[in-house]
Amino acid sequence: MSPAAATGPTLHRPALVVLDSPEAVATAVAARLLRHLATEPRPVLGLATGRTPLAVYDRLAAAHGTGTSFAAVQSFNLDEYVGLGASDPASFAHYMQRHFFDRVDIAAGQGRVPDGTGDPATVARDYEAAIAKAGGIGLQLLGIGTNGHIGFNEPGSAFDSRTRLVTLAESTRQANAPDFPRGTEVPREAITMGIGTILEARQILLVATGAAKAEALHAAFHAAPDPDCPASALQLHPRVEVICDCAAGRRLWSA
Ligand code: PGA
């Protein structure tokens, strides 16, 4: 073993759950979140947007319909586009209102998304302070980009990065273009929780569905952590659970 390896950080393997379908993944992820809510008197969730969590929010809304209360929940979303406010249908704030906050009884102002219309440095600093004031994030829901990003921490992001202004990768802008009206530019910048911020969550749930995520998921866990694959930083965290479908998980067993 090289001296560097001998003194390097402790690496962890995630718990892995591979299920037949995206629907089964959503059901399992919602169950994990609901279990967290049932065991924490003042739950603080880290939440994600994108296509993957949509079915999870459907299940949480259904749980609210049958009696689960989200009144004690505080939540912090991972990221937001710079320049977009909550009234813009392409903003993540709007997504969260539409798909989750408006469908449950979370208290007004307790579901937070970084403000894309504020001064980014101030927004980032206040966001970190608000997470700390809430006592830190208990359970962080994460997706993964095809390029391995978590939140909008694109390849090259430092593992100790904090909430900050970032420039989006071209591949991310292309992947998210369908969320914008035809002819509208996808913003070039965003505010994202940093990798260091994410790693401070007490538990992390990484969710991936579909064959397009297979390479990124493989890269995240089958080599030493490397900023070229931001999700590989999750190997530094002792309590990560990966819940994926067979299509996304199909390379997890191969070298
Ligand atoms: P997706 O996004 O759920 O829309 O695939 C995940 C991500 O880019 O983090």
Side-chain angles (χ1 to χ4, degrees):
M1 196 185 277
S2 71
T7 57
T10 306
L11 300 183
H12 306 270
R13 280 180 194 277
L16 176 62
V17 177
V18 185
L19 298 167
D20 279 346
S21 64
E23 293 73 26
V25 167
T27 300
V29 171
R32 291 290 190 284
L33 290 164
L34 291 170
R35 196 172 69 200
H36 187 79
L37 301 196
T39 54
E40 293 286 324
R42 297 181 53 79
V44 182
L45 301 177
L47 294 178
T49 53
R51 280 167 285 284
T52 314
L54 284 173
V56 175
Y57 294 129
D58 285 344
R59 282 155 178 76
L60 296 180
H64 178 59
T66 55
T68 299
S69 176
F70 294 79
V73 171
Q74 294 191 68
S75 71
F76 292 89
N77 264 75
L78 286 163
D79 43 21
E80 179 62 283
Y81 295 106
V82 164
L84 301 198
S87 60
D88 191 316
S91 71
F92 290 154
H94 197 278
Y95 169 116
M96 289 305 297
Q97 258 345 110
R98 196 164 69 237
H99 295 296
F100 186 48
F101 300 149
D102 284 349
R103 301 167 78 190
V104 298
D105 60 343
I106 190 167
Q110 295 304 290
R112 297 182 184 79
V113 180
D115 179 4
T117 64
D119 165 59
T122 308
V123 170
R125 193 189 57 225
D126 291 352
Y127 209 63
E128 289 275 344
I131 293 171
K133 185 160 177 247
I137 290 170
L139 180 58
Q140 174 69 55
L141 180 64
L142 280 185
I144 182 170
T146 54
N147 66 356
H149 74 199
I150 48 175
F152 273 145
N153 293 284
E154 302 287 20
S157 299
F159 285 175
D160 62 357
S161 52
R162 310 301 307 184
T163 303
R164 68 200 187 288
L165 176 69
V166 293
T167 300
L168 297 175
E170 255 332 286
S171 62
T172 298
R173 295 182 66 234
Q174 278 168 23
N176 292 0
D179 301 336
F180 288 78
R182 197 183 287 268
T184 312
E185 278 245 309
V186 179
R188 292 176 189 278
E189 293 180 320
I191 298 173
T192 185
M193 272 188 208
I195 296 178
T197 319
I198 291 169
L199 290 178
E200 283 173 6
R202 288 185 280 285
Q203 290 181 62
I204 296 176
L205 204 48
L206 179 68
V207 187
T209 56
K213 301 294 174 68
E215 287 307 318
L217 213 46
H218 178 261
F221 296 108
H222 277 256
D226 185 327
D228 281 349
C229 179
S232 68
L234 298 175
Q235 294 180 49
L236 300 169
H237 196 291
R239 292 190 71 192
V240 176
E241 184 169 21
V242 176
I243 304 186
C244 65
D245 66 357
C246 302
R250 79 189 145 86
R251 288 216 55 211
L252 285 175
W253 291 274
S254 55

